[in-house]
């Protein structure tokens, strides 16, 4: 935050790209009037609006009321009964879609699998029966720590079918991180694979799970998919091969009729303290949100091939590879591996090979594509593309223009979608047939989303004044709690600005009502589109015997957006290069490869205010190589600053 009440915004971008008449004519939402009318109705009469939208779901029992209560304690569709796997599978089987491709999957080595809706249905039923046979009951939590293979989507939908909330842990997390999450969720079963392919190498997933189990006493059984054929230890009566169990399982499994507010999943995300937050989403609201936003924002059509490049380990994959697209009966493409394997043209070959129409990726990937050069996309025919999307961090106008010209060939609208693990689905985004897009802006709120920009005191700010982004009205797909810690839920999101959901981002709204996200205002950094708490890395470093204290900040990084810079004071040891390497390895063991520090800087002390708070703003300036211009009069020890600058990582 800057001085005064508002945040200073420096970006001034005036280019604007309205959709073509052809695109608008075929779009699911066609005109500004249509959008305005939907948005106004959802604001004035949320129950009426979302009640109408709920016709898009299949209900075993219709709800008694659409919305009860107000933020933060809301209940959506009380009295209703439904099942998320039924939305994604069964309801498509009575139509021609039964033989439509639900998932087109390509493994990194080039192997391909296509699961039609019927195939996916059978596999999901079988695995739901497997889970039941292992003692999983409705309400039990199941951890999924898997590569990007169809079994991950199958396991998710199988959990949903029996009402066992899944907790997916991204494959880049370490054994320690798996144990923390298993314990917090009290998971009963873990589903994993022997390994997954990444840049031609095997990521040892089962071995990582093994390393977590002596610290995860709640886990009783482990199911292992054979993916890479690498050696794994299988413990009798605890570890089972997926194929052994699924082979014997029945392909029929009735979906459990679940309450609207039945938990669908927990997904851990970083907050501004060391302990990850278990964001909990529930069935009806989440399914409605992901179903409608997929239709509106990605303009899904029956014959589209849709590809979201995220990993299902993050919320983007939950909402926009699995639940949203499948609920709409779409064809969703899944790719297992790295974008530069065997070479930097891989993504574009996939686009051409499957004639991908809608492509959704992250700014960090776009920056990598730019660096790799235009020759790679030029080798493939990208003419099938009709719509592009981005998510995860602010996109610079330059990267946006490159995406527009080189990938979209100036033909495809770009939807820059702002949302969060907590929001469950897209909140601010262009509608591709309606909105004039602006490079770097996520533009306007979707129907049902009522944002504002406010001061720390909660006063609304005017046009082009930077402030805090809040939501003033509840929406169906918002998180309901942090698993096992409702007080933290209330504190983090609802105590800062009275009556509002506090997103943790700074933003401004321009004179056209378009939103420009300026980044996090808390101690969360965004590394390659992944949220990481600086405190999480600090506590990992603090657990090393040589470390007296650590202060961690982000700094601008060409590809990752933000890199991780750690200022470390040692107890007694010398600050050698060996120790730097050891500390980097230590953070990887404690959290995982995604938290690998880019810089370790040894320091005599870290600068603190008189009240003992680490002066992160100063450290950020030092990490970025900028001379600090801020007010340092509250610094505890001036000499510390000079020595920190001298240490060049
Ligand atoms: O800071 C915002 C940034 O990512 C944060 C949410 O991270 P996560 O929960 O991991 O979810 C990422 C995928 C939904 C936000 O608080 N962010 C996300 N999308 C955008 C963005 N920043 C700018 N523009 C976006 N389109």
């Amino acid at each position: 935050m800057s001085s005064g009440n508002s945040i200073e915004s420096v970006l001034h971008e005036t280019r604007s790209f309205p959709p073509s008449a052809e695109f608008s004519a075929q779009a699911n939402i066609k005109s500004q009037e249509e959008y305005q009318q939907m948005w106004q109705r959802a604001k004035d009469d949320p129950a009426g609006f979302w009640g109408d939208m709920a016709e898009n779901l299949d209900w075993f029992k219709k709800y008694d009321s659409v919305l009860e209560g107000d933020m933060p304690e809301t209940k959506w569709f009380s009295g209703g009964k439904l099942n998320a796997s039924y939305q994604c599978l069964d309801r498509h089987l009575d139509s021609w879609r039964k033989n439509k491709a639900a998932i087109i999957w390509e493994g990194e080595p080039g192997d391909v699998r296509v699961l039609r809706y019927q195939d996916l249905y059978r596999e999901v039923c079988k695995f739901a029966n497997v889970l039941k046979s292992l003692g999983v009951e409705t309400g039990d939590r199941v951890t999924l720590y898997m590569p990007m293979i169809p079994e991950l989507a199958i396991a998710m939908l199988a959990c949903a079918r029996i009402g066992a909330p899944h907790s997916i842990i991204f494959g880049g997390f370490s054994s320690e991180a798996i144990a923390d999450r298993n314990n917090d969720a009290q998971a009963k079963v873990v589903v994993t694979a022997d390994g997954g392919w990444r840049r031609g190498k095997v990521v040892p997933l089962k071995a990582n799970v093994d390393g977590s189990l002596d610290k995860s006493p709640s886990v009783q059984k482990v199911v292992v998919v054979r993916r890479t054929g690498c050696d794994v230890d299988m413990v009798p009566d605890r570890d089972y091969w997926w194929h052994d169990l699924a082979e014997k399982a029945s392909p029929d499994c009735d979906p459990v009729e679940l309450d609207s507010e039945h938990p669908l999943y927990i997904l851990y995300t970083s907050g501004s303290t060391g302990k990850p937050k278990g964001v909990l989403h529930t069935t009806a609201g989440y399914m409605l949100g992901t179903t409608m936003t997929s239709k509106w924002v990605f303009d899904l059509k029956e014959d589209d091939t849709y590809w979201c490049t995220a990993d299902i380990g993050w919320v983007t994959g939950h909402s926009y590879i699995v639940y949203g697209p499948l609920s709409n009966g779409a064809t969703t493409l899944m790719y297992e591996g790295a974008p530069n394997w065997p070479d930097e043209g891989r993504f574009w070959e996939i686009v051409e090979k499957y004639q991908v129409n809608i492509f959704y990726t992250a700014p960090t990937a776009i920056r990598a594509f730019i660096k790799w050069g235009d020759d790679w996309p030029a080798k493939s025919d990208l003419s099938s593309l009709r719509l592009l999307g981005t998510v995860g961090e602010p996109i610079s106008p330059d990267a946006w223009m490159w995406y527009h010209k080189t990938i979209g060939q100036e033909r495809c609208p770009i939807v820059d979608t702002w949302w969060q693990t907590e929001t469950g689905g897209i909140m601010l985004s262009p509608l591709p047939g309606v909105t004039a897009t602006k490079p770097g802006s996520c533009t306007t709120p979707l129907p049902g989303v009522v944002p504002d920009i406010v001061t720390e005191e909660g006063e609304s700010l005017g046009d082009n004044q930077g402030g805090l982004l809040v939501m003033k009205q509840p929406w169906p797909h918002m998180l309901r709690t942090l698993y096992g810690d409702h007080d933290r839920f209330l504190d983090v999101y609802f105590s800062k600005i009275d009556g509002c959901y506090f997103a943790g981002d700074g933003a401004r709204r321009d004179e056209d009502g378009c939103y420009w996200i300026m980044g996090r205002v808390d101690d969360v950094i965004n590394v390659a589109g992944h949220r990481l708490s600086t405190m999480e890395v600090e506590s990992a470093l603090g657990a090393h015997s040589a470390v007296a204290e650590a202060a961690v900040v982000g700094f601008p990084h060409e590809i990752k957006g933000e890199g991780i810079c750690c200022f470390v004071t040692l107890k007694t040891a010398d600050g050698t290069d060996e120790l730097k390497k050891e500390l980097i390895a230590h953070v990887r063991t404690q959290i995982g490869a995604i938290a690998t520090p880019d810089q370790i800087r040894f320091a005599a002390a870290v600068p603190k205010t008189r009240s003992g708070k680490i002066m992160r703003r100063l450290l950020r300036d030092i990490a970025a190589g900028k001379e600090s211009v801020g007010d340092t009069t509250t610094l505890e020890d001036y000499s510390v600053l000079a020595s920190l600058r001298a240490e060049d990582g």
Side-chain angles (χ1 to χ4, degrees), residues 487-504:
D487 286 347
R488 189 175 177 198
F489 161 78
L490 297 176
D491 183 46
V492 174
Y493 306 107
F494 298 99
S495 68
K496 179 125 181 145
I497 307 293
D498 215 22
C500 292
Y501 167 84
F502 170 63

PDB file of all heavy atoms in Angstrom, residues 487-504:
ATOM      1  N   ASP A 487     -13.267 -19.469  12.441  1.00  0.00           N
ATOM      2  CA  ASP A 487     -12.863 -18.141  12.940  1.00  0.00           C
ATOM      3  C   ASP A 487     -11.856 -17.486  11.997  1.00  0.00           C
ATOM      4  O   ASP A 487     -11.909 -16.283  11.745  1.00  0.00           O
ATOM      5  CB  ASP A 487     -12.221 -18.256  14.332  1.00  0.00           C
ATOM      6  CG  ASP A 487     -13.281 -18.532  15.393  1.00  0.00           C
ATOM      7  OD1 ASP A 487     -14.483 -18.375  15.072  1.00  0.00           O
ATOM      8  OD2 ASP A 487     -12.903 -18.933  16.504  1.00  0.00           O
ATOM      9  N   ARG A 488     -10.949 -18.310  11.475  1.00  0.00           N
ATOM     10  CA  ARG A 488      -9.960 -17.758  10.534  1.00  0.00           C
ATOM     11  C   ARG A 488     -10.657 -17.286   9.259  1.00  0.00           C
ATOM     12  O   ARG A 488     -10.306 -16.240   8.691  1.00  0.00           O
ATOM     13  CB  ARG A 488      -8.892 -18.815  10.217  1.00  0.00           C
ATOM     14  CG  ARG A 488      -7.727 -18.260   9.442  1.00  0.00           C
ATOM     15  CD  ARG A 488      -6.623 -19.276   9.245  1.00  0.00           C
ATOM     16  NE  ARG A 488      -5.542 -18.726   8.437  1.00  0.00           N
ATOM     17  CZ  ARG A 488      -4.629 -19.450   7.814  1.00  0.00           C
ATOM     18  NH1 ARG A 488      -4.638 -20.769   7.923  1.00  0.00           N
ATOM     19  NH2 ARG A 488      -3.693 -18.895   7.085  1.00  0.00           N
ATOM     20  N   PHE A 489     -11.645 -18.057   8.818  1.00  0.00           N
ATOM     21  CA  PHE A 489     -12.451 -17.672   7.645  1.00  0.00           C
ATOM     22  C   PHE A 489     -13.071 -16.283   7.870  1.00  0.00           C
ATOM     23  O   PHE A 489     -12.949 -15.390   7.023  1.00  0.00           O
ATOM     24  CB  PHE A 489     -13.524 -18.750   7.432  1.00  0.00           C
ATOM     25  CG  PHE A 489     -14.712 -18.369   6.598  1.00  0.00           C
ATOM     26  CD1 PHE A 489     -14.634 -18.330   5.220  1.00  0.00           C
ATOM     27  CD2 PHE A 489     -15.942 -18.086   7.198  1.00  0.00           C
ATOM     28  CE1 PHE A 489     -15.743 -18.007   4.446  1.00  0.00           C
ATOM     29  CE2 PHE A 489     -17.051 -17.771   6.437  1.00  0.00           C
ATOM     30  CZ  PHE A 489     -16.951 -17.722   5.058  1.00  0.00           C
ATOM     31  N   LEU A 490     -13.701 -16.108   9.030  1.00  0.00           N
ATOM     32  CA  LEU A 490     -14.346 -14.818   9.317  1.00  0.00           C
ATOM     33  C   LEU A 490     -13.300 -13.714   9.388  1.00  0.00           C
ATOM     34  O   LEU A 490     -13.498 -12.618   8.860  1.00  0.00           O
ATOM     35  CB  LEU A 490     -15.114 -14.895  10.643  1.00  0.00           C
ATOM     36  CG  LEU A 490     -16.272 -15.898  10.670  1.00  0.00           C
ATOM     37  CD1 LEU A 490     -16.891 -15.969  12.064  1.00  0.00           C
ATOM     38  CD2 LEU A 490     -17.345 -15.521   9.645  1.00  0.00           C
ATOM     39  N   ASP A 491     -12.188 -14.029  10.010  1.00  0.00           N
ATOM     40  CA  ASP A 491     -11.162 -13.025  10.226  1.00  0.00           C
ATOM     41  C   ASP A 491     -10.505 -12.591   8.911  1.00  0.00           C
ATOM     42  O   ASP A 491     -10.409 -11.400   8.616  1.00  0.00           O
ATOM     43  CB  ASP A 491     -10.112 -13.610  11.187  1.00  0.00           C
ATOM     44  CG  ASP A 491      -9.060 -12.588  11.495  1.00  0.00           C
ATOM     45  OD1 ASP A 491      -9.445 -11.436  11.783  1.00  0.00           O
ATOM     46  OD2 ASP A 491      -7.859 -12.913  11.418  1.00  0.00           O
ATOM     47  N   VAL A 492     -10.089 -13.576   8.104  1.00  0.00           N
ATOM     48  CA  VAL A 492      -9.314 -13.248   6.896  1.00  0.00           C
ATOM     49  C   VAL A 492     -10.160 -12.496   5.869  1.00  0.00           C
ATOM     50  O   VAL A 492      -9.707 -11.527   5.268  1.00  0.00           O
ATOM     51  CB  VAL A 492      -8.739 -14.531   6.253  1.00  0.00           C
ATOM     52  CG1 VAL A 492      -8.071 -14.223   4.917  1.00  0.00           C
ATOM     53  CG2 VAL A 492      -7.750 -15.213   7.181  1.00  0.00           C
ATOM     54  N   TYR A 493     -11.386 -12.945   5.663  1.00  0.00           N
ATOM     55  CA  TYR A 493     -12.153 -12.408   4.536  1.00  0.00           C
ATOM     56  C   TYR A 493     -13.204 -11.367   4.913  1.00  0.00           C
ATOM     57  O   TYR A 493     -13.655 -10.619   4.062  1.00  0.00           O
ATOM     58  CB  TYR A 493     -12.850 -13.551   3.772  1.00  0.00           C
ATOM     59  CG  TYR A 493     -11.886 -14.627   3.344  1.00  0.00           C
ATOM     60  CD1 TYR A 493     -11.867 -15.869   3.974  1.00  0.00           C
ATOM     61  CD2 TYR A 493     -10.968 -14.380   2.328  1.00  0.00           C
ATOM     62  CE1 TYR A 493     -10.971 -16.852   3.597  1.00  0.00           C
ATOM     63  CE2 TYR A 493     -10.065 -15.353   1.943  1.00  0.00           C
ATOM     64  CZ  TYR A 493     -10.064 -16.588   2.583  1.00  0.00           C
ATOM     65  OH  TYR A 493      -9.164 -17.552   2.212  1.00  0.00           O
ATOM     66  N   PHE A 494     -13.648 -11.377   6.174  1.00  0.00           N
ATOM     67  CA  PHE A 494     -14.814 -10.553   6.487  1.00  0.00           C
ATOM     68  C   PHE A 494     -14.607  -9.547   7.616  1.00  0.00           C
ATOM     69  O   PHE A 494     -15.515  -8.795   7.927  1.00  0.00           O
ATOM     70  CB  PHE A 494     -16.021 -11.459   6.789  1.00  0.00           C
ATOM     71  CG  PHE A 494     -16.393 -12.309   5.614  1.00  0.00           C
ATOM     72  CD1 PHE A 494     -15.983 -13.631   5.527  1.00  0.00           C
ATOM     73  CD2 PHE A 494     -17.103 -11.773   4.541  1.00  0.00           C
ATOM     74  CE1 PHE A 494     -16.283 -14.411   4.423  1.00  0.00           C
ATOM     75  CE2 PHE A 494     -17.410 -12.539   3.431  1.00  0.00           C
ATOM     76  CZ  PHE A 494     -17.003 -13.866   3.368  1.00  0.00           C
ATOM     77  N   SER A 495     -13.411  -9.555   8.227  1.00  0.00           N
ATOM     78  CA  SER A 495     -13.247  -8.625   9.348  1.00  0.00           C
ATOM     79  C   SER A 495     -12.617  -7.309   8.896  1.00  0.00           C
ATOM     80  O   SER A 495     -12.679  -6.313   9.588  1.00  0.00           O
ATOM     81  CB  SER A 495     -12.380  -9.266  10.442  1.00  0.00           C
ATOM     82  OG  SER A 495     -11.070  -9.397   9.959  1.00  0.00           O
ATOM     83  N   LYS A 496     -12.024  -7.318   7.710  1.00  0.00           N
ATOM     84  CA  LYS A 496     -11.266  -6.134   7.303  1.00  0.00           C
ATOM     85  C   LYS A 496     -12.201  -4.986   6.875  1.00  0.00           C
ATOM     86  O   LYS A 496     -12.057  -3.868   7.331  1.00  0.00           O
ATOM     87  CB  LYS A 496     -10.328  -6.518   6.157  1.00  0.00           C
ATOM     88  CG  LYS A 496      -9.514  -5.393   5.647  1.00  0.00           C
ATOM     89  CD  LYS A 496      -8.032  -5.693   5.670  1.00  0.00           C
ATOM     90  CE  LYS A 496      -7.289  -4.499   5.157  1.00  0.00           C
ATOM     91  NZ  LYS A 496      -6.019  -4.281   5.806  1.00  0.00           N
ATOM     92  N   ILE A 497     -13.148  -5.309   5.992  1.00  0.00           N
ATOM     93  CA  ILE A 497     -14.070  -4.289   5.495  1.00  0.00           C
ATOM     94  C   ILE A 497     -15.488  -4.731   5.844  1.00  0.00           C
ATOM     95  O   ILE A 497     -15.946  -5.787   5.386  1.00  0.00           O
ATOM     96  CB  ILE A 497     -13.941  -4.107   3.964  1.00  0.00           C
ATOM     97  CG1 ILE A 497     -12.479  -3.842   3.542  1.00  0.00           C
ATOM     98  CG2 ILE A 497     -14.877  -3.007   3.460  1.00  0.00           C
ATOM     99  CD1 ILE A 497     -11.883  -2.532   4.008  1.00  0.00           C
ATOM    100  N   ASP A 498     -16.140  -3.915   6.621  1.00  0.00           N
ATOM    101  CA  ASP A 498     -17.453  -4.261   7.152  1.00  0.00           C
ATOM    102  C   ASP A 498     -18.450  -4.697   6.072  1.00  0.00           C
ATOM    103  O   ASP A 498     -18.657  -3.973   5.104  1.00  0.00           O
ATOM    104  CB  ASP A 498     -18.010  -3.016   7.873  1.00  0.00           C
ATOM    105  CG  ASP A 498     -18.806  -3.446   9.079  1.00  0.00           C
ATOM    106  OD1 ASP A 498     -18.576  -4.569   9.553  1.00  0.00           O
ATOM    107  OD2 ASP A 498     -19.669  -2.652   9.515  1.00  0.00           O
ATOM    108  N   GLY A 499     -19.034  -5.877   6.240  1.00  0.00           N
ATOM    109  CA  GLY A 499     -20.097  -6.324   5.348  1.00  0.00           C
ATOM    110  C   GLY A 499     -19.629  -6.782   3.982  1.00  0.00           C
ATOM    111  O   GLY A 499     -20.454  -7.080   3.113  1.00  0.00           O
ATOM    112  N   CYS A 500     -18.313  -6.816   3.757  1.00  0.00           N
ATOM    113  CA  CYS A 500     -17.801  -7.173   2.437  1.00  0.00           C
ATOM    114  C   CYS A 500     -16.851  -8.359   2.506  1.00  0.00           C
ATOM    115  O   CYS A 500     -16.215  -8.600   3.526  1.00  0.00           O
ATOM    116  CB  CYS A 500     -16.992  -6.016   1.833  1.00  0.00           C
ATOM    117  SG  CYS A 500     -17.973  -4.588   1.405  1.00  0.00           S
ATOM    118  N   TYR A 501     -16.709  -9.053   1.378  1.00  0.00           N
ATOM    119  CA  TYR A 501     -15.663 -10.054   1.201  1.00  0.00           C
ATOM    120  C   TYR A 501     -14.406  -9.311   0.759  1.00  0.00           C
ATOM    121  O   TYR A 501     -14.423  -8.583  -0.237  1.00  0.00           O
ATOM    122  CB  TYR A 501     -16.082 -11.081   0.133  1.00  0.00           C
ATOM    123  CG  TYR A 501     -14.936 -11.967  -0.326  1.00  0.00           C
ATOM    124  CD1 TYR A 501     -14.594 -13.094   0.397  1.00  0.00           C
ATOM    125  CD2 TYR A 501     -14.200 -11.662  -1.472  1.00  0.00           C
ATOM    126  CE1 TYR A 501     -13.522 -13.908  -0.008  1.00  0.00           C
ATOM    127  CE2 TYR A 501     -13.140 -12.459  -1.883  1.00  0.00           C
ATOM    128  CZ  TYR A 501     -12.813 -13.580  -1.143  1.00  0.00           C
ATOM    129  OH  TYR A 501     -11.761 -14.364  -1.540  1.00  0.00           O
ATOM    130  N   PHE A 502     -13.327  -9.509   1.490  1.00  0.00           N
ATOM    131  CA  PHE A 502     -12.062  -8.843   1.203  1.00  0.00           C
ATOM    132  C   PHE A 502     -11.165  -9.809   0.437  1.00  0.00           C
ATOM    133  O   PHE A 502     -10.813 -10.879   0.922  1.00  0.00           O
ATOM    134  CB  PHE A 502     -11.415  -8.412   2.515  1.00  0.00           C
ATOM    135  CG  PHE A 502     -10.003  -7.934   2.381  1.00  0.00           C
ATOM    136  CD1 PHE A 502      -9.709  -6.796   1.636  1.00  0.00           C
ATOM    137  CD2 PHE A 502      -8.964  -8.611   2.997  1.00  0.00           C
ATOM    138  CE1 PHE A 502      -8.400  -6.361   1.506  1.00  0.00           C
ATOM    139  CE2 PHE A 502      -7.645  -8.177   2.877  1.00  0.00           C
ATOM    140  CZ  PHE A 502      -7.370  -7.048   2.135  1.00  0.00           C
ATOM    141  N   ALA A 503     -10.812  -9.424  -0.801  1.00  0.00           N
ATOM    142  CA  ALA A 503     -10.117 -10.357  -1.694  1.00  0.00           C
ATOM    143  C   ALA A 503      -8.618 -10.412  -1.442  1.00  0.00           C
ATOM    144  O   ALA A 503      -7.965 -11.373  -1.831  1.00  0.00           O
ATOM    145  CB  ALA A 503     -10.387  -9.953  -3.150  1.00  0.00           C
ATOM    146  N   GLY A 504      -8.044  -9.370  -0.843  1.00  0.00           N
ATOM    147  CA  GLY A 504      -6.590  -9.358  -0.634  1.00  0.00           C
ATOM    148  C   GLY A 504      -5.835  -8.760  -1.810  1.00  0.00           C
ATOM    149  O   GLY A 504      -4.615  -8.757  -1.821  1.00  0.00           O
TER     150      GLY A 504
END
